[in-house]
Amino acid sequence: MTRTLLAPALRSRNFRLFWLAQIVSTIGTSLQVIAEGYLIYDITDSTFWLGAVGFIALIPVVPISLAGGVLIDRLPRRKLLLITQTGLMLQAAIFGILAVTDRIELWNVILLYFIFGALLAIDNPARRAFLVDIVEREDLTSAVALNATIFNISSVIGFALGGILIATIGVGSTMLLNSVSYLFPIAALSLIRVADVGQDQERKSFGVAMTEGFVTLWRQPTVLGVIAITTVVGGLAYPIIGLMPAYAKDVMGVDSVGLGILLSAVAFGSVLGTFGAARLGTSRRGKSLMIASFILPLLVIGVAHAPNMIVACLVLMGVGFMLLILQSLAITLVQLNTPDRVRGRVMTIYSMLHAGSDTGGNLVIGSLAVPLGLPLALTVGSVIALLFSGVTNLALPDIRRMQ
């Protein structure tokens, strides 16, 4: 009874299976994030390449994302997720084997990063849209919050464990452990029982169908504004995470274990943010989103100029807290204000812009860090984010009234 009162989505057997399996899988994904970043910086010793590899891999993903949105609405989402999760398991296994056998090169990383990004371009929005298939509509906010919870709790474990594993068993073996973690969601999806039918039965031409998500957003400027805020502000804040290997080594002067501690601080702050988001209620979502968009850049500036590890970890917890608030509120507002028939395409656009802003932010801040140094580069990005929040707040005041 307490479980369903605190988290109503857990009364769904299908959601419980999906949620528990994602905990293990997300720990594995966190291992991949820290292992790939560590390996790229180890190979290149360059903040530019640390940001550029992800951006290069993202370029071909855009058309895949647009087509994937149509597939998410037309095909059974459970079966589509089985395909993407299997693909993610295979790419992680290949990465691990190449690293263990000491055959990994920069071009291998770029190619595997592309495959990883291409699969996630379909998998991420499909998982978000799949929530509507496995919980009641009134429990959707609870499901979104619980998804954020597993991501952040698993990230705390994964990042801390990743730093230790890289130092003890190496990057390759760490990636192989990640590949094994995908067996859990594959098994869970096989056990979930839902009607395996697509949501969009109109069957318009593929080209017309690909544009419907954009048309929907154009007709709903407040929803578009929410996506713009999380894209720009979140994207310019994310480099403090994406460029963390450089921050750990060059600014804090710590090794892979210290890197894991720093990333765990972000993830732990995000866990606290999950509980904070749950207490906001339904009447303040838009206003809370705008407040978070101002506080987050200020916290990034604080991290950039932190004098030691203790201060850095404390402020990084605040970054994780506000980043979680920003993203979970944005996802909830977009989901609840989007028609069922085009939800997959709208969430694909959201996911595509979110991924693009993260990798684009890494590239921009990483490039600026070459002449300016990482602390000053992060400060410049945060000032731009503050200006964008201010302009959006004045141009679209209706966002503050969104429920």
Side-chain angles (χ1 to χ4, degrees), residues 42-293:
D42 185 57
I43 292 173
T44 65
D45 195 33
S46 167
T47 56
F48 171 78
W49 278 111
L50 194 58
V53 168
F55 186 79
I56 292 170
L58 181 72
I59 295 172
V61 171
V62 174
I64 294 174
S65 297
L66 295 176
V70 180
L71 295 177
I72 292 167
D73 285 330
R74 288 188 175 180
L75 301 179
R77 290 165 184 162
R78 185 186 70 88
K79 293 182 178 179
L80 187 60
L81 284 167
L82 277 170
I83 294 172
T84 57
Q85 291 288 310
T86 301
L88 288 165
M89 178 180 67
L90 293 175
Q91 66 82 28
I94 293 170
F95 197 121
I97 291 170
L98 287 174
V100 166
T101 57
D102 202 26
R103 296 179 181 177
I104 196 77
E105 297 179 15
L106 185 59
W107 73 268
N108 301 137
V109 178
I110 294 173
L111 177 61
L112 288 167
Y113 224 106
F114 164 69
I115 295 172
F116 179 64
L119 289 168
L120 285 183
I122 299 175
D123 186 80
N124 280 339
R127 279 191 287 113
R128 289 176 176 132
F130 188 54
L131 293 179
V132 181
D133 298 339
I134 57 177
V135 298
E136 299 296 329
R137 188 174 180 85
E138 61 267 22
D139 296 336
L140 181 59
T141 302
S142 170
V144 171
L146 284 168
N147 259 12
T149 302
I150 63 166
F151 175 80
N152 294 302
I153 291 176
S154 300
S155 294
V156 171
I157 299 170
F159 287 143
L161 188 61
I164 297 171
L165 289 174
I166 291 171
T168 53
I169 65 175
V171 171
S173 297
T174 301
M175 286 295 295
L176 288 175
L177 285 175
N178 171 45
S179 69
V180 173
S181 73
Y182 286 106
L183 292 173
F184 290 85
I186 289 172
L189 286 164
S190 300
L191 294 172
I192 286 174
R193 296 292 175 259
V194 293
D196 283 325
V197 295
Q199 296 294 320
D200 183 11
Q201 301 300 320
E202 291 190 11
R203 299 296 177 181
K204 296 179 181 178
S205 70
F206 212 78
V208 171
M210 285 173 62
T211 66
E212 283 192 295
F214 292 101
V215 172
T216 299
L217 288 175
W218 184 255
R219 291 172 177 171
Q220 296 181 264
T222 53
V223 176
L224 183 60
V226 168
I227 295 177
I229 288 171
T230 191
T231 297
V232 176
V233 177
L236 289 172
Y238 185 79
I240 193 60
I241 302 172
L243 300 179
M244 191 66 80
Y247 179 81
K249 180 179 179 181
D250 299 338
V251 180
M252 288 290 113
V254 295
D255 58 12
S256 64
V257 176
L259 171 62
I261 292 172
L262 290 166
L263 288 171
S264 294
V266 179
F268 183 70
S270 297
V271 172
L272 298 178
T274 302
F275 297 110
R279 295 180 64 84
L280 290 175
T282 61
S283 62
R284 294 175 289 173
R285 289 190 183 121
K287 184 178 179 180
S288 298
L289 179 82
M290 293 306 306
I291 292 173
S293 72

